[in-house]
Structures are given as C-alpha cells and as structure tokens.
Amino acid sequence: MKGKVLITDPVHDLLQDGLVQMGYDVDYRPEIQQERVHDIIADYVGLIINSKIKAGMQLFERAEHLKFIGRLGSGLEVIDQAAAKEKGIHFFNSPEGNRDAVAEHAMGMLLSLMNNIHIADREVRDALWMREVNRGVELKGKTVGIIGYGNTGSEFAQRLQGFGVKILAYDKYKSNYGNKYVLESTLDAVLFESDVLSLHIQLTDESHHLINRQLINKLGKAIYLVNTSRGGVVNTADLIYGIKAGKILGAALDVLENEHLAVLQGEELAVFEELVKERRVLLTPHIAGWTHESKKRIAEVVLDKVRQFEMQSEQGFGT
C-alpha cells in the first residue's frame, strides 16, 4: 500500500475506487469534523477535502506523512497555501469538474432575476396574476462584464454567446484571452460599461469585499450583479446600499459572506434579514457547482491530479 488517504466530504464512488486501484488505503469519513481530522491526520499521506475542513499550519504540524491535499471544487481559501508550500505539501483544486455547472447556474439565475421569474412564481402560487409589475428585461443588446476569466468565467462567457450581448472580461492575472466573442478589458471599463456584472474569482485578501460601496459608486450604469464565486467577495451591507440607491437593479447570489445562517447574530443577522426582504435579490444555497454530473467530474479531476502528482514525484519534480 502507498499509504492512507482521508476523504472528509461526500464524493462520487469512482474517486475512492480509483485511489484503491492506485494502491492507496482509503478512509472515507464524510461526517468527520475539524477537530477529529487534527487528531488523526498523522496517519495519512493524502487528504481530500471540500469547504468544511480548513487545512492550515495547525493541521500541518501534526501531518507528519502528508504529501498532498485535493480540494473537491475550486476554492483554495480553505488551504493555507504558504504554509503548505513551507511544509512541502502539494495541493490542488478541481474547478474543471464543476465549471459547466457553475456557468449554467449563473445563466439561470441571471435570466430568472431579469425576468422576475422567482417573484412571479411565488405570486401565482398565492393566486396573484401580476403581469405588468413583472415585465422583464431582455439580455439582448446589453453589455455583460465578467470579473475573473478562468474556468467558470470563460464557461459563462460561452453560455452568453447566443444572447446577442457584448461581453467584456477582466482578469488581473491573465492576458491575451480575448476572442471574437469576448473583449479583454480593464476593470474600469467593465465597471463603466456593464449592464450585468458576474463574479468568477477566488476569495483572497485582495478580493475580499471587492464589491463595496466605493466600487458600486464607480459604476457607469445601474447593473444586475451575479455572484457564484465566494460570498466574501461582496460586502453585503454595501450591496444593500447599492440596491436602495438604485445602482444595483438586482442581485443573484449563490454564496453569502456567512453561510451558517442558523447561527447568525448581531450585525450579520440584521444585514441578512434586510437582504432577504429585498424583492430584487435571488438566493440559492451555494449549489451552483452542485449537480449530479459535476459530482462525478470533480471526482475524475481529483483522481487525475493525484496521478499527475505521482508521476511528477517519480520524475523528481516534487511539489
């Protein structure tokens, strides 16, 4: 056996089966919590996590044999990357596995938001037939700005191509990605020209509260905002300000700053209660990348990246 791999979250069976075939002893414990992972991590050479488990120096100090960490999905904010590198622990994510799901969900949320589908559905169920007040807005002819042009941003742009829109994309860390459908742009141009703004970025110290009152006041037009990335990218209180000020026509949010809704208190609870009162806000519970198909593809991607890591290690590239 090559050693033990701990999987801490639900995953498609093919990941476990594939790791066993590669010679690993797999410990599948989807109900395990952070404290218990710390207690037993010394026994494992591999760790597969989602967003529940945080992998930082406190964990790494106990991880005597840990060689790699695989993230089920895209967000690497759950891994202290600097600490992992210091300890020589290889880490990777799997955004290729759910990029189609996220792009489709973002598209669906945007269309629902602009056409008041979520509102009209509730009203009809209450025997209200409100046609004029639910008159929609078409995407055709609009400018859609995309911040972050990686896996999900580029897939969202692909979904937009049949709608007759102008697509502007900004990515601080990429260049030469424009094509006949997508115009590589600056952040200022995206903010000034866009009718729709969609976020597809990692949560980092730099991107935390990127969408804030100052940025909202820079907008050239009133916009529809879509966030399927990470809740912390948007300052929720400032978003509410933007809605009330008429600078944000509507917001489709699959993610929130604090997704543990049952334990919200104080200011966080007050802001959340104000958010959910807004007719122009559409909410889903962090399910953009959560399809039956993406569950399988994420497992396939993680398995393939473990194989790649093994090959690199055998060739002497290390981490």
Side-chain angles (χ1 to χ4, degrees), residues 165-276:
V165 297
K166 178 181 179 182
I167 305 172
L168 304 180
Y170 168 73
D171 194 311
K172 183 176 180 178
Y173 302 102
K174 297 183 73 174
S175 59
N176 301 316
Y177 52 82
N179 54 48
K180 65 179 181 178
Y181 298 109
V182 179
L183 178 64
E184 187 175 339
S185 188
T186 64
L187 179 58
D188 284 343
V190 167
L191 296 178
F192 184 75
E193 296 185 42
S194 295
D195 300 287
V196 174
L197 188 62
S198 189
L199 308 176
H200 299 272
I201 53 179
Q202 295 276 347
L203 179 60
T204 64
D205 291 340
E206 185 177 29
S207 67
H208 181 253
H209 283 179
L210 171 69
I211 306 300
N212 55 33
R213 184 177 294 226
Q214 182 180 8
L215 182 143
I216 290 168
N217 286 331
K218 287 183 177 181
L219 295 171
K221 307 175 186 177
I223 65 163
Y224 293 93
L225 178 69
V226 180
N227 187 16
T228 53
S229 59
R230 286 295 181 268
V233 174
V234 176
N235 182 312
T236 311
D238 289 356
L239 170 66
I240 294 170
Y241 152 78
I243 293 172
K244 293 184 181 301
K247 296 176 182 296
I248 295 178
L249 298 172
L253 308 175
D254 180 56
V255 288
L256 296 174
E257 289 191 76
N258 187 345
E259 296 175 357
H260 301 288
L261 303 184
V263 297
L264 293 181
Q265 301 179 50
E267 177 93 12
E268 277 190 327
L269 178 58
V271 170
F272 176 72
E273 289 177 341
E274 195 167 0
L275 181 72
V276 298

Side-chain angles (χ1 to χ4, degrees), residues 84-230:
K85 290 175 181 177
E86 179 182 330
K87 289 292 187 179
I89 300 169
H90 180 71
F91 57 88
F92 55 84
N93 58 353
S94 49
E96 304 91 340
N98 65 359
R99 60 189 176 191
D100 293 308
V102 173
E104 289 188 12
H105 192 90
M107 195 74 249
M109 291 191 84
L110 178 59
L111 292 173
S112 180
L113 187 67
M114 294 181 71
N115 291 282
N116 297 315
I117 294 172
H118 61 300
I119 298 169
D121 173 78
R122 292 196 297 265
E123 290 176 347
V124 172
R125 292 171 189 273
D126 290 333
L128 297 174
W129 199 256
M130 309 287 286
R131 295 187 70 203
E132 185 57 36
V133 73
N134 286 311
R135 189 181 289 272
V137 176
E138 296 178 13
L139 259 178
K140 186 175 182 179
K142 304 296 191 294
T143 297
V144 180
I146 298 173
I147 298 181
Y149 200 71
N151 282 282
T152 62
S154 59
E155 287 296 330
F156 182 60
Q158 194 276 335
R159 301 304 188 282
L160 287 166
Q161 290 171 19
F163 283 88
V165 297
K166 178 181 179 182
I167 305 172
L168 304 180
Y170 168 73
D171 194 311
K172 183 176 180 178
Y173 302 102
K174 297 183 73 174
S175 59
N176 301 316
Y177 52 82
N179 54 48
K180 65 179 181 178
Y181 298 109
V182 179
L183 178 64
E184 187 175 339
S185 188
T186 64
L187 179 58
D188 284 343
V190 167
L191 296 178
F192 184 75
E193 296 185 42
S194 295
D195 300 287
V196 174
L197 188 62
S198 189
L199 308 176
H200 299 272
I201 53 179
Q202 295 276 347
L203 179 60
T204 64
D205 291 340
E206 185 177 29
S207 67
H208 181 253
H209 283 179
L210 171 69
I211 306 300
N212 55 33
R213 184 177 294 226
Q214 182 180 8
L215 182 143
I216 290 168
N217 286 331
K218 287 183 177 181
L219 295 171
K221 307 175 186 177
I223 65 163
Y224 293 93
L225 178 69
V226 180
N227 187 16
T228 53
S229 59
R230 286 295 181 268

